[in-house]
Amino acid sequence: METNVQTIVSMPRIGEKAPEFQAVTTQGNINFPNDYQGKWVILFSHPADFTPVCTTEFMTFAKMEKEFNDLNCNLVGLSVDGLYSHIAWLRTIKEKIQFRDMKNIEVQFPLIEDITMEVAKKYGMIQPGESSTKAVRAVFFIDPKGIIRAIIYYPLSLGRNFDELKRALIAMQTADKYSIATPADWRPGEDVIVPPAGSCGTAKERMESDDVKCSDWFFCTKSLPMN
Ligand code: BEZ
């Protein structure tokens, strides 16, 4: 009889508490997500140190780090490499690598060492159909209460779009603040979607309101205060 041995990987889901772990990083030890209470965190994995696509991603994220910090969001990276590999790679990036207009880039956010793959497996970052030895490019958005709010996965060959990660963060923060939703390709400053009316009375109110623009009772948008 043939035995089908499968690697058991857990796949955290949107709306669940971010799985807890303690780890060694390039910025010291972390206790996740407790160290980040009250802040958004983008926890992201990359396949391996000293690889070109990952290098471009790290340079781009490092260049944008202040923009994310200004949005009350911290960045935390992970790969299944060891700490000394991480340190050597980040030093090489700073000393030797030029990509687009970026050079002399110092990565200051923590990069987790995960040679045991414990964290990568907890977060479903090892996807054996793609690779059983490297993490895929996963992105977890975790809110100030430690809840997973969005997850994006990319394959090994595809570098992420960091403007999209920033747009997604701002959209979720805006949705939380104003109890609205955001339409396709929404950019900050554009009109937002008013959630569909839950009663005939609200539908009528919406259709008659000056603040809300409705094409039909279920399709209403409004502008937000500029800030
Ligand atoms: C890269 O980052 O360049 C890469 C990593 C793993 C597989 C393919 C590309």
Side-chain angles (χ1 to χ4, degrees), residues 27-190:
Q27 302 289 331
N29 295 352
I30 58 169
N31 187 4
F32 196 91
N34 291 351
D35 287 350
Y36 296 92
Q37 268 175 21
K39 292 176 191 301
W40 284 78
V41 188
I42 295 181
L43 172 68
F44 67 102
S45 56
H46 74 274
D49 297 347
F50 292 101
T51 51
V53 177
C54 298
T55 299
T56 62
E57 291 191 318
F58 265 67
M59 292 176 78
T60 309
F61 236 165
K63 189 180 167 201
M64 293 174 74
E65 186 183 7
K66 186 172 179 312
E67 294 172 47
F68 283 92
N69 291 167
D70 289 348
L71 292 164
N72 190 33
C73 179
N74 283 40
L75 308 177
V76 180
L78 173 148
S79 81
V80 300
D81 298 285
L83 182 65
Y84 297 135
S85 166
H86 284 345
I87 293 170
W89 179 45
L90 299 187
R91 285 175 61 91
T92 306
I93 289 176
K94 178 162 166 47
E95 286 163 14
K96 296 197 181 146
I97 309 294
Q98 169 150 17
F99 170 60
R100 300 208 174 107
D101 62 341
M102 293 176 266
K103 66 176 190 194
N104 198 30
I105 295 286
E106 189 165 348
V107 173
Q108 290 177 320
F109 54 81
L111 174 50
I112 295 169
E113 83 153 0
D114 191 30
I115 21 184
T116 60
M117 298 191 183
E118 188 191 325
V119 180
K121 284 183 180 163
K122 253 186 192 173
Y123 274 82
M125 293 164 171
I126 304 293
Q127 306 209 350
E130 181 74 347
S131 170
S132 47
T133 56
K134 295 179 174 67
V136 294
R137 300 181 198 281
V139 187
F140 287 83
F141 294 81
I142 297 162
D143 77 11
K145 293 187 177 137
I147 303 295
I148 298 173
R149 298 291 299 277
I151 307 172
I152 312 178
Y153 286 108
Y154 295 72
L156 302 185
S157 62
L158 175 58
R160 285 163 274 213
N161 181 319
F162 291 85
D163 287 330
E164 168 58 7
L165 303 186
K166 184 175 168 191
R167 187 193 77 91
L169 175 68
I170 295 172
M172 285 184 278
Q173 292 178 337
T174 305
D176 285 357
K177 185 167 177 187
Y178 294 102
S179 303
I180 52 76
T182 48
D185 295 331
W186 177 83
R187 310 283 326 175
E190 291 179 353

